[in-house]
Amino acid sequence: MLAAMIDHFPHMHRALDEARAAASRGEVPIGAVITGPDGTVLAAAGNAVVGPRDPTGHAELIAIRAAARTLGSERLEGCDLYVTLEPCAMCAQAIAFARIRRVYFGAEDPKGGGVTVGARIFSQPTTHHRPEIYGGILEADAAQLLRDFFRDRR
């Protein structure tokens, strides 16, 4: 019974919190967390595209930049990324450049995904780094946040 109560995805819950905060700012609710090799949180971010009028203000990119500053390195080797939505092609390429070890994502993105659909960046022969990919982590929660956000916008 105790094992069933253990939260195996605390970092994805934090990413969901970042997504909710982004939604409250009028941003698409996507959140990301990067952990170091020892599991400590190096960076957490939500989308920031609309407010700063920055088309590159995706949660993943903001978190990658912050984690790189924290570590003092452009390489995030041994680090893991938790993100509520499958990364787009732009973010997937940044993940490869940063040498992130693992990517855990919530919901698939059938329209703009760059990992399991669309460009499939990590499957391309020219991609120099391929992280381990784990999808469907707290997928229902992540998908519901997006559905609610876009339903309320219509």
Side-chain angles (χ1 to χ4, degrees), residues 22 31 61 78 86 89 108:
L61 293 183
E86 173 187 353
E108 285 189 340

Side-chain angles (χ1 to χ4, degrees), residues 18-30 145 149 153:
E18 293 290 337
R20 288 182 196 97
S24 73
R25 298 187 306 269
E27 301 282 351
V28 174
I30 300 170
L145 271 175
F149 178 81
R153 306 285 279 184

Side-chain angles (χ1 to χ4, degrees), residues 28 64 80 83 89 117 153:
V28 174
I64 287 170
D80 298 335
V83 62
V117 298
R153 306 285 279 184

Side-chain angles (χ1 to χ4, degrees), residues 97-123:
F97 288 148
R99 307 279 200 291
I100 289 174
R101 174 178 57 183
R102 293 185 196 105
V103 175
Y104 300 90
F105 71 85
E108 285 189 340
D109 185 354
K111 293 183 180 178
V115 177
T116 63
V117 298
R120 294 186 173 111
I121 294 298
F122 304 126
S123 299

